[in-house]
Amino acid sequence: MAARRALHFVFKVGNRFQTARFYRDVLGMKVLRHEEFEEGCKAACNGPYDGKWSKTMVGFGPEDDHFVAELTYNYGIGDYKLGNDFMGITLASSQAVSNARKLEWPLTEVAEGVFETEAPGGYKFYLQNRSLPQSDPVLKVTLAVSDLHKSLNYWCDLLGMKIYEKDEEKQRALLGYADNQCKLELQGIKGAVEHAAAFGRIAFSCPQKELPDLEDLMKRENQKILTPLVSLDTPGKATVQVVILADPDGHEICFVGDEAFRELSKVDPEGSKLLDDAMAADKSDEWFAKHNKPKASG
């Protein structure tokens, strides 16, 4: 399992302008690559939508060694109803705290030196007012679970994650594939995990040869496979193989073949310009405003 690594979390976004401002100007992330698509993804990367959409990868550094955010935008959809499934991303960056204050982006101190803020759409981020000397500032992704013991069996016994911390009293556990990678925090909640329309997806890579074995394991264990092993084409780029799973609470998990993904995910120096050009060409906000109509909800 040492060859597995945490890649990104997928967010559906309704307002690209405000979202780009948050990730670039508040968090201080860079646009790593941007792509426009005319129809929905075979692996439902953009959710259950068939129309035109875009994907923007943002992070503090290259995807080879940083955990990043994948921002998917479905044209014509202005917002998505939030569930209780995604509980936040924690990162260490005194610069992000400083940026938020300067831009008057709302911050709430929830613990000493830890500030809660929200990305457009209501997604929570926790900013630690300190900076790491090196490595990736993104520390962990926190997801809600209804039965911590059951979830640990799934993530550790089936997916091979290591437990870094565990607190039975607080019903939380910190998992990961390697010390220097972004961790997955599972937080027990009372009641069911609701995903609503904004549900995201967490992605990991593994050697491509492991994907069929992973799929077979899930079949043998009677676990949910949302998308059986499939090849995804990106014009002019590497074709990657993925299998999409769901854990006991329905959190979507994408495993992608590492070798092709490293090829696909190279930083595009034009990424930021491509995003800006796409936003400038998207006149949907103006059209809806002119006709005094709200954009659709996801």
Side-chain angles (χ1 to χ4, degrees):
M1 305 300 175
R4 295 186 178 182
R5 61 191 178 103
L7 298 178
H8 55 255
F9 193 84
V10 181
F11 295 100
K12 295 190 201 73
V13 304
N15 184 322
R16 277 195 301 191
F17 287 99
Q18 282 295 91
T19 297
R21 183 168 179 250
F22 176 77
Y23 285 94
R24 287 195 290 204
D25 301 344
V26 178
L27 296 187
M29 288 182 173
K30 296 178 175 65
V31 175
L32 305 171
R33 53 193 173 100
H34 175 82
E35 289 149 336
E36 296 279 326
F37 302 91
E38 292 301 320
E39 55 188 36
C41 170
K42 278 196 289 186
C45 306
N46 60 315
Y49 306 95
D50 288 333
K52 186 177 178 182
W53 67 288
S54 75
K55 171 168 75 180
T56 310
M57 310 302 288
V58 294
F60 289 105
E63 292 174 70
D64 268 358
D65 51 12
H66 287 75
F67 189 86
V68 309
E70 177 175 321
L71 311 174
T72 65
Y73 170 73
N74 290 291
Y75 283 79
I77 298 184
D79 60 79
Y80 300 88
K81 188 173 184 297
L82 285 172
N84 64 0
D85 51 348
F86 173 79
M87 299 185 78
I89 284 182
T90 301
L91 55 94
S93 172
S94 53
Q95 185 61 56
V97 175
S98 171
N99 292 344
R101 285 174 172 154
K102 195 160 55 183
L103 295 168
E104 297 184 351
W105 200 277
L107 283 179
T108 305
E109 191 163 15
V110 291
E112 190 176 347
V114 180
F115 297 87
E116 180 185 294
T117 190
E118 284 186 7
Y123 305 112
K124 291 194 186 311
F125 280 73
Y126 295 91
L127 313 181
Q128 296 183 359
N129 195 13
R130 63 187 181 96
S131 292
L132 301 177
Q134 286 168 322
S135 79
D136 186 6
V138 182
L139 304 178
K140 65 183 179 183
V141 177
T142 305
L143 300 180
V145 296
S146 59
D147 182 331
L148 184 61
H149 180 69
K150 194 174 177 183
S151 293
L152 287 176
N153 284 344
Y154 181 91
W155 287 93
C156 299
D157 297 349
L158 298 182
L159 295 185
M161 281 193 145
K162 171 185 165 187
I163 297 177
Y164 280 84
E165 295 172 19
K166 187 178 172 187
D167 187 329
E168 291 279 4
E169 194 181 334
K170 291 182 177 174
Q171 281 294 290
R172 65 170 285 275
L174 193 69
L175 315 177
Y177 281 121
D179 297 357
N180 63 344
Q181 290 182 21
C182 175
K183 304 298 185 293
L184 170 65
E185 182 176 55
L186 303 178
Q187 176 63 59
I189 62 168
K190 289 189 170 76
V193 174
E194 303 288 348
H195 297 277
F199 68 91
R201 175 185 288 175
I202 192 163
F204 301 90
S205 74
C206 66
Q208 187 169 306
K209 65 183 182 189
E210 289 182 16
L211 290 173
D213 295 339
L214 180 60
E215 186 179 43
D216 289 344
L217 173 64
M218 292 301 162
K219 285 177 183 170
R220 285 199 309 275
E221 295 290 334
N222 293 315
Q223 297 294 334
K224 191 174 281 189
I225 298 171
L226 299 176
T227 304
L229 190 56
V230 63
S231 294
L232 300 180
D233 297 320
T234 301
K237 293 191 177 182
T239 296
V240 298
Q241 287 194 310
V242 305
V243 60
I244 316 287
L245 312 173
D247 82 346
D249 287 296
H251 290 292
E252 293 196 359
I253 309 153
C254 174
F255 272 91
V256 57
D258 191 72
E259 300 87 344
F261 187 77
R262 284 186 188 272
E263 189 64 35
L264 172 76
S265 62
K266 286 179 177 170
V267 175
D268 180 357
E270 294 293 303
S272 206
K273 182 181 184 302
L274 289 172
L275 170 62
D276 288 334
D277 289 349
M279 290 193 297
D282 178 8
K283 304 297 183 188
S284 60
D285 285 343
E286 293 170 27
W287 188 92
F288 281 98
K290 184 180 173 184
H291 292 81
N292 201 24
K293 290 182 177 182
K295 272 190 172 184
S297 287

